[in-house]
Amino acid sequence: MRVYVPLTLPGLAEAHKAGQLGPGPLTAYAVTPGLREWYVSDDIEELEYAALSRAAAASLRLLAGDPGAARRRVVVAVDVPDGDAVADPDRGLDAAGIGEVRIAAPVSLKKAAAVHVDADDAQADVTAAAAALGAADHGDDDAQFTVDGAEDHELLWFGVQEIPHLIG
């Protein structure tokens, strides 16, 4: 199963140094039954893109909690055995939990398929979105518009071998 693990650049640097994502449990996003129902598509590529987008939103939340981190969303795509990624059935009704899975143990970076990171030109919008996240969560429509602005930026694809360049 392909899962998408949200990180920040400092989190990616820690994972690179340790050789693994973790410690567990890890929160990740995947094509779950709840995501399939929410997205209403049978196209696996569209569904995986939706899971990646959910992970990018979670990365934005990590950035909001780490003011010192570079303002670029980071998502690591990792392949894990199907049974390792478990969706919480109680979160299925919670809109924030759509596509969310838990992985109990650390995951080797050797299982990573790719790293997705914002381009440099997204930093201003991602910075504004991270700052506006709290107000958006409390129903501020202008703040939500700002948060949505970060989603207008596509994450770039990088091979795992490019991690040293990304964190350097």
Side-chain angles (χ1 to χ4, degrees):
M1 169 181 267
R2 171 80 37 104
V3 299
Y4 300 91
V5 180
L7 292 175
T8 60
L9 283 174
L12 181 62
E14 288 176 26
H16 179 67
K17 182 178 177 183
Q20 66 183 15
L21 298 164
L26 294 170
T27 298
Y29 294 82
V31 178
T32 63
L35 184 103
R36 284 179 186 276
E37 185 176 321
W38 171 73
Y39 198 76
V40 192
S41 175
D42 290 329
D43 185 324
I44 191 64
E45 287 183 13
E46 287 181 13
L47 291 165
E48 286 184 351
Y49 182 78
L52 171 65
S53 297
R54 302 290 292 174
S59 176
L60 182 65
R61 290 197 173 280
L62 293 173
L63 289 173
D66 184 359
R71 300 334 239 174
R72 294 171 72 188
R73 297 167 298 165
V74 177
V75 175
V76 179
V78 183
D79 294 318
V80 299
D82 287 350
D84 287 3
V86 180
D88 181 349
D90 294 333
R91 295 265 300 163
L93 302 175
D94 179 5
I98 294 171
E100 188 177 284
V101 296
R102 295 267 188 270
I103 302 168
V107 177
S108 171
L109 268 183
K110 291 178 182 176
K111 296 184 180 205
V115 180
H116 302 271
V117 181
D118 275 312
D120 289 338
D121 67 354
Q123 287 188 55
D125 287 338
V126 171
T127 299
L133 201 52
D137 286 347
H138 286 92
D140 183 320
D141 290 337
D142 291 334
Q144 186 61 53
F145 182 79
T146 301
V147 170
D148 292 345
E151 293 176 11
D152 291 340
H153 294 277
E154 298 286 331
L155 297 180
L156 302 177
W157 183 96
F158 294 92
V160 176
Q161 71 276 12
E162 296 178 88
I163 291 174
H165 168 71
L166 291 169
I167 60 177

